[in-house]
Amino acid sequence: MKKIVVRGRWVLAALLLSALAVLIAVEGGALATRAYFGEAYTRGETTLRLAVAALRGHLNRYEALPALIADHALIKRLVIDPQDSGDRAAANAYLSAINTLLESSDIYVMLTDGTTVAASNYDGPASFVGENFSYRPYFQEAVQGRQGRFFALGTTSLKRGYYFSAPIVVDAAVRGVVVFKIDIDAIEASWRGGDHEIIVADPEGIIFMTGRPEWLYTSLLPLTPDRLARTEASRRYADTRLEPLSFRQAADQGYDLMRMPIDGRDREFLVLSEQMPEAGWTVRVLLDTASVRSQTFTSVMVALLLLGLATLIGFVVLQRRARLYERMQIQRQAREELEHRVAERTADLAGVNSQLEKEVAERRATESQLRRTQADLVQAGKLAALGQMSAALSHEFNQPLAAVKTYADNAAILIDRDRLAEARDNVTRISSLTDRMATLSRHLRNFARKPNQKLQPVALADVVEDALEIVAWRLKAAGTAVTVDLGPVPLAVRAGPVRLQQVLVNLLSNAADAVEALPERRIVLTARQEEHKVVLAVHDNGSGVAAAIRERIFDPFFTTKGVGKGLGLGLSITYNIVKDFGGELSVADDPEGGAVFTVVLDAARMPAREAAE
């Protein structure tokens, strides 16, 4: 009984699968056909727009030209007196030159009776001169004072072309017609090849442009006597025999189709069309539907194969369900064991992570302490420099103070004697000396205070001036000449003003120490901009830096001076400050003697003047 139930279930499943396969084949095929037809229709619309645009552009290029030629004085004289041989020859040459220049087919002039009196092909075997084209619609429209347009097969040249015509108006009367014929073979040739066909039909449904020569001069509409009579009256196609095009119209998924025999087999095309009312044409694009049918068949087959594959997979799944259940039990046990191990490992990793976090915190604290220590060393170096300056600074302040007292005493005596002008001069001198002491005090205060860490554009000239003010006492006492050359253009660097001032003070002090024992003491400070960098150099004419100590000269506590003359921190502090600025500090021997310390910093552009750091 159980086997019968199982067999019944399999039969039911087979029937359901068969019904589903039929549904896929029918509805899926219709859906796929609609989708692929939609894609083909979109491609066809693009092709149709391009074809119509190319035709319109080609026609519009020549549309205004007949009226321009009709307004030419030579052409007007010709239609007034067509027997004038000189004007005829000149008009023929003129039309031939214009025709060659514009690459048109033919240009010719007719009188009001339709007789051609001048033409661009006057010297050719199929010359239009003397021919009468009064039966052409373009002539009939132009002789009535309107511009004409007409497509036809030339009765003389037997070449297809599009005709533009314009009346030649003299003294408000139409005296002749100018006709411009253009060739369309180049556009037609570009349509050959590809998976589509482009055809252009006239108002009577006759195909006169196509990439397939066998379709030329065949009709898409029934060739009724009325249609044939209208075509023969205008002699649009001369004596060409017109025949109906063999095709069948159809529709699928709301799209127009055309079926016809080509090269011994039946072919189907998707049809798109657009009217060109200005020319009286209908442009059609025929897209071969073989690819659409093939894609539809492939999609349906793929869907059926996927259904078969899904059925097979379902059968396999059902067959292995029991085995999978066993495996799932085994996997569940293995997963529980793995989760237990993962929990243990996670606990171990958490401990390691905690230890790493402690080490990171300790390292950060150490780095912070190192930064504070470095800042303290920088401040200590500056205070040490101020301490070394104290004796000279005392002299710098005592001299002005003594002079102030003397000028003040003299001013009191001069006031008692009513010598006010001389007393006022003494007071002015006292004010000048006071300003000098205030300036020196301000420089020392700025030099001694702790800077912040912000980098900003700094005017190099201002920093150099302040640094020279600070070390001026020492340079003056030692008789050291300082030459400053900052270039013709004011320079600015990205730095901190106070710390950059300390860099210059340290380098100038170091240069002063290097030349202290020489009879002629010179220091040269130069600065130049090189691309996006500013290169600042301090030269001295001392003994230079020996190669053995050059690599250690920027190390902390390294000094070549005697005991009590330095801590060996000046150049180390200077090096670290320059590094903090993102720059470079180096030392080398000057080819002319002595040493040169070079500082390279990023160039900056000065904004509005900011306060010192």
Side-chain angles (χ1 to χ4, degrees), residues 581-594:
F581 292 162
E584 297 179 0
L585 173 62
S586 59
V587 61
D589 286 337
D590 195 319
E592 298 181 359

Side-chain angles (χ1 to χ4, degrees), residues 399-414 426 430 433:
Q399 275 189 334
L401 288 173
V404 167
K405 186 175 187 312
T406 301
Y407 284 134
D409 294 341
N410 290 342
I413 295 171
L414 291 171
N426 281 7
I430 291 171
L433 290 170

Side-chain angles (χ1 to χ4, degrees), residues 529-534 603:
Q529 182 164 347
E530 298 179 0
E531 295 183 353
H532 302 297
K533 301 289 185 179
V534 171

